[in-house]
mmCIF file of all heavy atoms in Angstrom:
data_model
loop_
_atom_site.group_PDB
_atom_site.id
_atom_site.type_symbol
_atom_site.label_atom_id
_atom_site.label_comp_id
_atom_site.label_asym_id
_atom_site.label_seq_id
_atom_site.Cartn_x
_atom_site.Cartn_y
_atom_site.Cartn_z
ATOM 1 N N ALA L 113 69.370 142.352 214.173
ATOM 2 C CA ALA L 113 69.223 140.920 213.893
ATOM 3 C C ALA L 113 69.125 140.089 215.179
ATOM 4 O O ALA L 113 68.259 139.211 215.278
ATOM 5 C CB ALA L 113 70.367 140.433 213.008
ATOM 6 N N PRO L 114 69.965 140.315 216.204
ATOM 7 C CA PRO L 114 69.797 139.561 217.449
ATOM 8 C C PRO L 114 68.494 139.865 218.179
ATOM 9 O O PRO L 114 68.065 139.079 219.017
ATOM 10 C CB PRO L 114 71.012 140.002 218.288
ATOM 11 C CG PRO L 114 72.002 140.518 217.329
ATOM 12 C CD PRO L 114 71.205 141.124 216.218
ATOM 13 N N LEU L 115 67.878 141.007 217.888
ATOM 14 C CA LEU L 115 66.566 141.306 218.457
ATOM 15 C C LEU L 115 65.450 140.626 217.671
ATOM 16 O O LEU L 115 64.469 140.131 218.248
ATOM 17 C CB LEU L 115 66.332 142.816 218.460
ATOM 18 C CG LEU L 115 67.096 143.634 219.503
ATOM 19 C CD1 LEU L 115 67.051 145.104 219.143
ATOM 20 C CD2 LEU L 115 66.522 143.405 220.889
ATOM 21 N N ILE L 116 65.593 140.583 216.360
ATOM 22 C CA ILE L 116 64.562 139.998 215.510
ATOM 23 C C ILE L 116 64.449 138.494 215.735
ATOM 24 O O ILE L 116 63.338 137.940 215.756
ATOM 25 C CB ILE L 116 64.855 140.313 214.031
ATOM 26 C CG1 ILE L 116 64.556 141.792 213.750
ATOM 27 C CG2 ILE L 116 64.051 139.421 213.097
ATOM 28 C CD1 ILE L 116 64.987 142.249 212.373
ATOM 29 N N GLY L 117 65.590 137.806 215.900
ATOM 30 C CA GLY L 117 65.561 136.353 216.060
ATOM 31 C C GLY L 117 64.676 135.883 217.204
ATOM 32 O O GLY L 117 63.724 135.115 216.998
ATOM 33 N N PRO L 118 64.943 136.305 218.454
ATOM 34 C CA PRO L 118 64.081 135.882 219.568
ATOM 35 C C PRO L 118 62.633 136.326 219.408
ATOM 36 O O PRO L 118 61.717 135.602 219.789
ATOM 37 C CB PRO L 118 64.732 136.543 220.787
ATOM 38 C CG PRO L 118 66.145 136.766 220.392
ATOM 39 C CD PRO L 118 66.112 137.055 218.921
ATOM 40 N N MET L 119 62.414 137.534 218.848
ATOM 41 C CA MET L 119 61.045 138.000 218.651
ATOM 42 C C MET L 119 60.285 137.076 217.704
ATOM 43 O O MET L 119 59.159 136.646 217.990
ATOM 44 C CB MET L 119 61.047 139.417 218.081
ATOM 45 C CG MET L 119 59.660 139.969 217.794
ATOM 46 S SD MET L 119 59.664 141.438 216.713
ATOM 47 C CE MET L 119 60.184 140.706 215.160
ATOM 48 N N ALA L 120 60.896 136.745 216.549
ATOM 49 C CA ALA L 120 60.223 135.911 215.559
ATOM 50 C C ALA L 120 59.977 134.504 216.083
ATOM 51 O O ALA L 120 58.911 133.920 215.846
ATOM 52 C CB ALA L 120 61.054 135.869 214.271
ATOM 53 N N VAL L 121 60.956 133.935 216.803
ATOM 54 C CA VAL L 121 60.780 132.595 217.365
ATOM 55 C C VAL L 121 59.599 132.564 218.330
ATOM 56 O O VAL L 121 58.849 131.589 218.399
ATOM 57 C CB VAL L 121 62.081 132.137 218.061
ATOM 58 C CG1 VAL L 121 61.827 130.944 218.966
ATOM 59 C CG2 VAL L 121 63.131 131.801 217.020
ATOM 60 N N GLY L 122 59.406 133.643 219.074
ATOM 61 C CA GLY L 122 58.295 133.704 220.018
ATOM 62 C C GLY L 122 56.939 133.913 219.366
ATOM 63 O O GLY L 122 55.909 133.779 220.037
ATOM 64 N N LEU L 123 56.917 134.203 218.055
ATOM 65 C CA LEU L 123 55.657 134.472 217.359
ATOM 66 C C LEU L 123 55.221 133.342 216.437
ATOM 67 O O LEU L 123 54.237 133.487 215.708
ATOM 68 C CB LEU L 123 55.788 135.767 216.539
ATOM 69 C CG LEU L 123 55.978 137.056 217.346
ATOM 70 C CD1 LEU L 123 56.241 138.235 216.420
ATOM 71 C CD2 LEU L 123 54.761 137.342 218.214
ATOM 72 N N VAL L 124 55.952 132.209 216.442
ATOM 73 C CA VAL L 124 55.585 131.076 215.593
ATOM 74 C C VAL L 124 55.461 129.819 216.450
ATOM 75 O O VAL L 124 55.918 129.776 217.599
ATOM 76 C CB VAL L 124 56.621 130.840 214.475
ATOM 77 C CG1 VAL L 124 56.723 132.050 213.566
ATOM 78 C CG2 VAL L 124 58.000 130.504 215.052
ATOM 79 N N ALA L 125 54.856 128.791 215.872
ATOM 80 C CA ALA L 125 54.673 127.522 216.577
ATOM 81 C C ALA L 125 56.026 126.864 216.845
ATOM 82 O O ALA L 125 57.008 127.088 216.133
ATOM 83 C CB ALA L 125 53.792 126.592 215.751
ATOM 84 N N ASP L 126 56.060 126.007 217.878
ATOM 85 C CA ASP L 126 57.319 125.383 218.289
ATOM 86 C C ASP L 126 57.961 124.565 217.171
ATOM 87 O O ASP L 126 59.187 124.546 217.043
ATOM 88 C CB ASP L 126 57.085 124.479 219.508
ATOM 89 C CG ASP L 126 56.719 125.277 220.754
ATOM 90 O OD1 ASP L 126 56.923 126.509 220.744
ATOM 91 O OD2 ASP L 126 56.234 124.678 221.727
ATOM 92 N N ASP L 127 57.139 123.883 216.360
ATOM 93 C CA ASP L 127 57.705 123.018 215.327
ATOM 94 C C ASP L 127 58.192 123.786 214.100
ATOM 95 O O ASP L 127 58.638 123.186 213.125
ATOM 96 C CB ASP L 127 56.691 121.946 214.903
ATOM 97 C CG ASP L 127 55.409 122.533 214.326
ATOM 98 O OD1 ASP L 127 55.269 123.777 214.335
ATOM 99 O OD2 ASP L 127 54.555 121.749 213.873
ATOM 100 N N ARG L 128 58.108 125.113 214.122
ATOM 101 C CA ARG L 128 58.602 125.939 213.017
ATOM 102 C C ARG L 128 59.760 126.846 213.446
ATOM 103 O O ARG L 128 60.252 127.639 212.644
ATOM 104 C CB ARG L 128 57.479 126.804 212.441
ATOM 105 C CG ARG L 128 56.367 126.023 211.759
ATOM 106 C CD ARG L 128 55.498 126.923 210.910
ATOM 107 N NE ARG L 128 56.271 127.533 209.840
ATOM 108 C CZ ARG L 128 56.330 128.865 209.614
ATOM 109 N NH1 ARG L 128 55.687 129.700 210.405
ATOM 110 N NH2 ARG L 128 57.041 129.342 208.622
ATOM 111 N N GLN L 129 60.195 126.715 214.687
ATOM 112 C CA GLN L 129 61.221 127.635 215.172
ATOM 113 C C GLN L 129 62.544 127.440 214.453
ATOM 114 O O GLN L 129 63.229 128.416 214.124
ATOM 115 C CB GLN L 129 61.397 127.463 216.681
ATOM 116 C CG GLN L 129 60.198 127.948 217.478
ATOM 117 C CD GLN L 129 60.381 127.787 218.972
ATOM 118 O OE1 GLN L 129 61.383 127.241 219.441
ATOM 119 N NE2 GLN L 129 59.409 128.251 219.738
ATOM 120 N N GLY L 130 62.916 126.171 214.173
ATOM 121 C CA GLY L 130 64.165 125.933 213.457
ATOM 122 C C GLY L 130 64.129 126.480 212.045
ATOM 123 O O GLY L 130 65.090 127.076 211.569
ATOM 124 N N VAL L 131 62.991 126.291 211.352
ATOM 125 C CA VAL L 131 62.854 126.783 209.985
ATOM 126 C C VAL L 131 62.904 128.309 209.949
ATOM 127 O O VAL L 131 63.566 128.907 209.102
ATOM 128 C CB VAL L 131 61.546 126.266 209.354
ATOM 129 C CG1 VAL L 131 61.310 126.918 208.002
ATOM 130 C CG2 VAL L 131 61.597 124.757 209.213
ATOM 131 N N VAL L 132 62.194 128.955 210.893
ATOM 132 C CA VAL L 132 62.193 130.417 210.929
ATOM 133 C C VAL L 132 63.590 130.943 211.249
ATOM 134 O O VAL L 132 64.071 131.904 210.633
ATOM 135 C CB VAL L 132 61.157 130.929 211.948
ATOM 136 C CG1 VAL L 132 61.326 132.421 212.188
ATOM 137 C CG2 VAL L 132 59.744 130.647 211.448
ATOM 138 N N SER L 133 64.279 130.297 212.211
ATOM 139 C CA SER L 133 65.654 130.708 212.523
ATOM 140 C C SER L 133 66.548 130.560 211.308
ATOM 141 O O SER L 133 67.373 131.433 211.012
ATOM 142 C CB SER L 133 66.205 129.867 213.690
ATOM 143 O OG SER L 133 65.515 130.124 214.882
ATOM 144 N N GLY L 134 66.370 129.444 210.558
ATOM 145 C CA GLY L 134 67.164 129.252 209.344
ATOM 146 C C GLY L 134 66.859 130.286 208.275
ATOM 147 O O GLY L 134 67.755 130.756 207.571
ATOM 148 N N THR L 135 65.565 130.673 208.142
ATOM 149 C CA THR L 135 65.190 131.689 207.160
ATOM 150 C C THR L 135 65.814 133.040 207.500
ATOM 151 O O THR L 135 66.357 133.732 206.627
ATOM 152 C CB THR L 135 63.659 131.823 207.102
ATOM 153 O OG1 THR L 135 63.089 130.562 206.731
ATOM 154 C CG2 THR L 135 63.240 132.884 206.089
ATOM 155 N N LEU L 136 65.735 133.430 208.774
ATOM 156 C CA LEU L 136 66.334 134.697 209.187
ATOM 157 C C LEU L 136 67.848 134.675 209.007
ATOM 158 O O LEU L 136 68.450 135.672 208.589
ATOM 159 C CB LEU L 136 65.970 134.997 210.641
ATOM 160 C CG LEU L 136 64.486 135.235 210.928
ATOM 161 C CD1 LEU L 136 64.262 135.436 212.415
ATOM 162 C CD2 LEU L 136 63.955 136.429 210.149
ATOM 163 N N LEU L 137 68.447 133.527 209.315
ATOM 164 C CA LEU L 137 69.894 133.419 209.141
ATOM 165 C C LEU L 137 70.262 133.453 207.664
ATOM 166 O O LEU L 137 71.297 134.011 207.283
ATOM 167 C CB LEU L 137 70.413 132.145 209.798
ATOM 168 C CG LEU L 137 71.924 131.993 209.883
ATOM 169 C CD1 LEU L 137 72.564 133.205 210.552
ATOM 170 C CD2 LEU L 137 72.293 130.726 210.637
ATOM 171 N N SER L 138 69.400 132.886 206.801
ATOM 172 C CA SER L 138 69.648 132.996 205.354
ATOM 173 C C SER L 138 69.647 134.458 204.925
ATOM 174 O O SER L 138 70.454 134.870 204.083
ATOM 175 C CB SER L 138 68.577 132.229 204.576
ATOM 176 O OG SER L 138 68.732 130.845 204.745
ATOM 177 N N GLY L 139 68.723 135.247 205.492
ATOM 178 C CA GLY L 139 68.726 136.675 205.205
ATOM 179 C C GLY L 139 70.019 137.335 205.646
ATOM 180 O O GLY L 139 70.592 138.158 204.924
ATOM 181 N N SER L 140 70.490 136.960 206.828
ATOM 182 C CA SER L 140 71.758 137.510 207.313
ATOM 183 C C SER L 140 72.917 137.111 206.402
ATOM 184 O O SER L 140 73.790 137.928 206.089
ATOM 185 C CB SER L 140 72.030 137.034 208.741
ATOM 186 O OG SER L 140 71.054 137.512 209.635
ATOM 187 N N ILE L 141 72.904 135.853 205.968
ATOM 188 C CA ILE L 141 73.970 135.387 205.068
ATOM 189 C C ILE L 141 73.916 136.140 203.745
ATOM 190 O O ILE L 141 74.955 136.557 203.199
ATOM 191 C CB ILE L 141 73.834 133.876 204.828
ATOM 192 C CG1 ILE L 141 74.084 133.118 206.124
ATOM 193 C CG2 ILE L 141 74.815 133.403 203.766
ATOM 194 C CD1 ILE L 141 73.661 131.673 206.061
ATOM 195 N N GLY L 142 72.680 136.314 203.212
ATOM 196 C CA GLY L 142 72.546 137.089 201.986
ATOM 197 C C GLY L 142 73.100 138.493 202.148
ATOM 198 O O GLY L 142 73.750 139.033 201.243
ATOM 199 N N GLY L 143 72.855 139.093 203.326
ATOM 200 C CA GLY L 143 73.400 140.422 203.597
ATOM 201 C C GLY L 143 74.913 140.422 203.641
ATOM 202 O O GLY L 143 75.565 141.338 203.121
ATOM 203 N N ILE L 144 75.477 139.378 204.254
ATOM 204 C CA ILE L 144 76.941 139.271 204.314
ATOM 205 C C ILE L 144 77.521 139.170 202.905
ATOM 206 O O ILE L 144 78.464 139.882 202.533
ATOM 207 C CB ILE L 144 77.357 138.050 205.161
ATOM 208 C CG1 ILE L 144 76.953 138.250 206.622
ATOM 209 C CG2 ILE L 144 78.852 137.806 205.058
ATOM 210 C CD1 ILE L 144 77.112 137.006 207.477
ATOM 211 N N LEU L 145 76.934 138.278 202.092
ATOM 212 C CA LEU L 145 77.455 138.046 200.742
ATOM 213 C C LEU L 145 77.285 139.273 199.855
ATOM 214 O O LEU L 145 78.235 139.731 199.205
ATOM 215 C CB LEU L 145 76.748 136.847 200.120
ATOM 216 C CG LEU L 145 76.890 135.500 200.833
ATOM 217 C CD1 LEU L 145 76.075 134.431 200.113
ATOM 218 C CD2 LEU L 145 78.350 135.089 200.923
ATOM 219 N N LEU L 146 76.050 139.788 199.805
ATOM 220 C CA LEU L 146 75.777 140.911 198.902
ATOM 221 C C LEU L 146 76.488 142.183 199.349
ATOM 222 O O LEU L 146 76.931 142.969 198.518
ATOM 223 C CB LEU L 146 74.271 141.147 198.816
ATOM 224 C CG LEU L 146 73.489 140.061 198.068
ATOM 225 C CD1 LEU L 146 71.998 140.346 198.148
ATOM 226 C CD2 LEU L 146 73.934 139.968 196.615
ATOM 227 N N SER L 147 76.589 142.392 200.669
ATOM 228 C CA SER L 147 77.257 143.610 201.139
ATOM 229 C C SER L 147 78.733 143.602 200.752
ATOM 230 O O SER L 147 79.280 144.636 200.359
ATOM 231 C CB SER L 147 77.104 143.757 202.655
ATOM 232 O OG SER L 147 77.826 142.758 203.354
ATOM 233 N N ARG L 148 79.359 142.435 200.832
ATOM 234 C CA ARG L 148 80.764 142.356 200.436
ATOM 235 C C ARG L 148 80.911 142.507 198.931
ATOM 236 O O ARG L 148 81.827 143.192 198.450
ATOM 237 C CB ARG L 148 81.370 141.041 200.935
ATOM 238 C CG ARG L 148 81.554 141.014 202.437
ATOM 239 C CD ARG L 148 82.365 139.845 202.925
ATOM 240 N NE ARG L 148 81.731 138.566 202.707
ATOM 241 C CZ ARG L 148 81.817 137.531 203.542
ATOM 242 N NH1 ARG L 148 82.487 137.665 204.683
ATOM 243 N NH2 ARG L 148 81.243 136.388 203.278
ATOM 244 N N ALA L 149 80.002 141.852 198.174
ATOM 245 C CA ALA L 149 80.094 141.943 196.715
ATOM 246 C C ALA L 149 79.805 143.366 196.231
ATOM 247 O O ALA L 149 80.580 143.952 195.460
ATOM 248 C CB ALA L 149 79.126 140.954 196.067
ATOM 249 N N LEU L 150 78.685 143.924 196.674
ATOM 250 C CA LEU L 150 78.322 145.278 196.246
ATOM 251 C C LEU L 150 79.267 146.321 196.826
ATOM 252 O O LEU L 150 79.570 147.320 196.171
ATOM 253 C CB LEU L 150 76.877 145.582 196.656
ATOM 254 C CG LEU L 150 75.802 144.766 195.942
ATOM 255 C CD1 LEU L 150 74.430 145.080 196.510
ATOM 256 C CD2 LEU L 150 75.835 145.026 194.443
ATOM 257 N N GLY L 151 79.704 146.103 198.075
ATOM 258 C CA GLY L 151 80.631 147.056 198.680
ATOM 259 C C GLY L 151 81.910 147.184 197.879
ATOM 260 O O GLY L 151 82.371 148.297 197.589
ATOM 261 N N GLY L 152 82.489 146.025 197.491
ATOM 262 C CA GLY L 152 83.713 146.065 196.704
ATOM 263 C C GLY L 152 83.509 146.664 195.330
ATOM 264 O O GLY L 152 84.300 147.480 194.863
ATOM 265 N N THR L 153 82.406 146.279 194.665
ATOM 266 C CA THR L 153 82.150 146.767 193.312
ATOM 267 C C THR L 153 81.849 148.265 193.291
ATOM 268 O O THR L 153 82.429 149.032 192.524
ATOM 269 C CB THR L 153 80.973 145.995 192.686
ATOM 270 O OG1 THR L 153 81.289 144.597 192.662
ATOM 271 C CG2 THR L 153 80.699 146.481 191.275
ATOM 272 N N ILE L 154 80.921 148.679 194.167
ATOM 273 C CA ILE L 154 80.555 150.101 194.219
ATOM 274 C C ILE L 154 81.724 150.939 194.728
ATOM 275 O O ILE L 154 81.946 152.069 194.268
ATOM 276 C CB ILE L 154 79.305 150.285 195.104
ATOM 277 C CG1 ILE L 154 78.099 149.625 194.433
ATOM 278 C CG2 ILE L 154 79.024 151.764 195.349
ATOM 279 C CD1 ILE L 154 76.849 149.633 195.275
ATOM 280 N N GLY L 155 82.491 150.384 195.671
ATOM 281 C CA GLY L 155 83.647 151.105 196.180
ATOM 282 C C GLY L 155 84.678 151.381 195.104
ATOM 283 O O GLY L 155 85.240 152.484 195.028
ATOM 284 N N GLU L 156 84.947 150.379 194.236
ATOM 285 C CA GLU L 156 85.903 150.592 193.147
ATOM 286 C C GLU L 156 85.354 151.558 192.103
ATOM 287 O O GLU L 156 86.105 152.301 191.467
ATOM 288 C CB GLU L 156 86.242 149.256 192.486
ATOM 289 C CG GLU L 156 87.204 148.414 193.294
ATOM 290 C CD GLU L 156 87.845 147.326 192.452
ATOM 291 O OE1 GLU L 156 87.339 147.047 191.343
ATOM 292 O OE2 GLU L 156 88.855 146.761 192.900
#
Side-chain angles (χ1 to χ4, degrees):
L115 286 165
I116 287 172
M119 178 196 69
V121 165
L123 294 174
V124 299
D126 292 345
D127 61 355
R128 294 195 62 234
Q129 291 180 356
V131 173
V132 169
S133 294
T135 300
L136 295 177
L137 189 54
S138 290
S140 296
I141 294 167
I144 294 170
L145 299 178
L146 290 175
S147 68
R148 289 190 295 216
L150 293 176
T153 301
I154 293 175
E156 283 198 345

